[in-house]
Amino acid sequence: MNHRISIRDIMVDNLDDLFKGEKAEAMYCDPPWGIGHIKYFRTLNGQKHKQSDDWLTFLGRIKFLYNRHVTGPLFLECGPRFVNDILQVFGTPSAKYECKYGAGLPFFVLCFGAVPANSPVAFKDWKIPYTVLGSIQNKPKSVFDCCVGLGQTARACKEIGAICYANELNPQRAEKTMKILDFEQV
């Protein structure tokens, strides 16, 4: 089984071809948070939407993709002001870890399902998903990230020996991620 990446819009694509009938054992995601970031990434990619973006609909779409393509736990990174919105869409997490950006600003990893044995206490980089994914009791053999960005989840997958199913809206960011792992683009 190979690492796979697609360059699609999760708001309109179910990503079925990324999985080819398989399912990931876990999901780790740090998507663009808030409507401002979503609109920025769409504009950056030349997308002009006729309908307005809705933040809770975006979160609902992540939940839909999780339910459709993942059999195990879900881990979401987010800033403090988005926690209540996530709880509204996903329910109560089984664990909540506070971490810090390089500037000392807080962000959280919310866990739904399996709880990591080790707290992901580190600055924001690939070591956060590595600590989380590598320390859950049944380490996943495959991980899905629907907004892989610059590849922090992909790098963590490489370190723990897991297959990475990745999606990214921005082709330039996807290209950087593809350098981390030998991806098959679908």
Side-chain angles (χ1 to χ4, degrees):
M1 190 162 49
N2 295 325
H3 305 286
R4 295 185 201 134
I5 191 166
S6 62
I7 302 169
R8 305 246 166 57
D9 185 344
I10 66 169
M11 295 302 287
V12 296
D13 195 310
N14 291 338
L15 306 179
D16 292 342
D17 57 339
L18 178 64
F19 290 90
K20 300 179 182 178
E22 300 161 0
K23 291 196 176 227
E25 293 183 7
M27 182 173 179
Y28 193 100
C29 191
D30 177 13
W33 294 105
I35 284 303
H37 282 103
I38 294 169
K39 287 182 179 180
Y40 169 75
F41 281 108
R42 289 192 191 292
T43 304
L44 187 67
N45 290 290
Q47 297 179 354
K48 302 199 188 303
H49 281 297
K50 295 183 178 160
Q51 81 270 15
S52 65
D53 288 306
D54 177 74
W55 170 237
L56 293 178
T57 302
F58 178 76
L59 289 176
R61 196 64 187 162
I62 293 173
K63 183 176 182 180
F64 168 82
L65 293 171
Y66 166 73
N67 289 334
R68 187 176 185 96
H69 297 297
V70 182
T71 61
L74 164 67
F75 306 98
L76 286 173
E77 281 189 24
C78 68
R81 69 182 202 179
F82 303 112
V83 170
N84 288 335
D85 293 336
I86 293 168
L87 300 181
Q88 181 179 338
V89 173
F90 289 90
T92 305
S94 48
K96 177 179 170 184
Y97 296 99
E98 184 173 345
C99 304
K100 302 281 186 205
Y101 286 99
L105 300 172
F107 72 97
F108 294 97
V109 176
L110 302 177
C111 307
F112 299 87
V115 177
N118 299 318
S119 173
V121 179
F123 290 107
K124 183 158 178 60
D125 66 8
W126 66 273
K127 293 175 187 164
I128 299 285
Y130 169 75
T131 301
V132 169
L133 296 168
S135 72
I136 57 177
Q137 186 172 17
N138 294 317
K139 187 167 57 171
K141 294 182 179 110
S142 58
V143 178
F144 172 42
D145 188 344
C146 64
C147 302
V148 77
L150 296 175
Q152 306 297 4
T153 302
R155 176 123 183 241
C157 286
K158 181 178 181 178
E159 296 296 323
I160 66 168
I163 297 295
C164 184
Y165 297 103
N167 181 72
E168 176 54 40
L169 176 64
N170 182 314
Q172 289 79 26
R173 293 181 119 202
E175 187 176 309
K176 289 180 181 181
T177 298
M178 285 188 266
K179 291 177 182 175
I180 296 170
L181 292 173
D182 184 20
F183 276 102
E184 170 191 335
Q185 187 174 343
V186 292

